Amino acid sequence: MNRGTQFMLAIKPDRVIITTEDKQIESMKVLIGLDGGRLSSDNAYQAIIHPSLLQA
């Protein structure tokens, strides 16, 4: 869907809460880029999250 273009559709939510097994992390400065492609051939991934978002 986005292949070969220079732009990616993105949304800027007011906040994002990431829930892991042992904690919740809230961030107010996040852009979510939307792409219709697949992240892996076996569909093991649903999202790519920058490591700085996982630091409390």
Side-chain angles (χ1 to χ4, degrees), residues 19-32:
T19 303
T20 65
E21 292 178 1
D22 57 342
K23 61 184 172 180
Q24 281 192 338
I25 302 162
E26 183 174 338
S27 181
M28 304 293 206
K29 296 178 79 175
V30 175
L31 286 175
I32 300 174

Side-chain angles (χ1 to χ4, degrees), residues 5 7-8 12 15 17 23-26 29 31 37 40 43-44 46-54:
T5 64
F7 300 99
M8 175 181 282
K12 184 178 180 185
R15 69 180 174 163
I17 300 172
K23 61 184 172 180
Q24 281 192 338
I25 302 162
E26 183 174 338
K29 296 178 79 175
L31 286 175
S40 65
N43 292 324
Q46 296 176 341
I48 298 172
I49 300 174
H50 194 280
S52 66
L53 284 176
L54 298 175

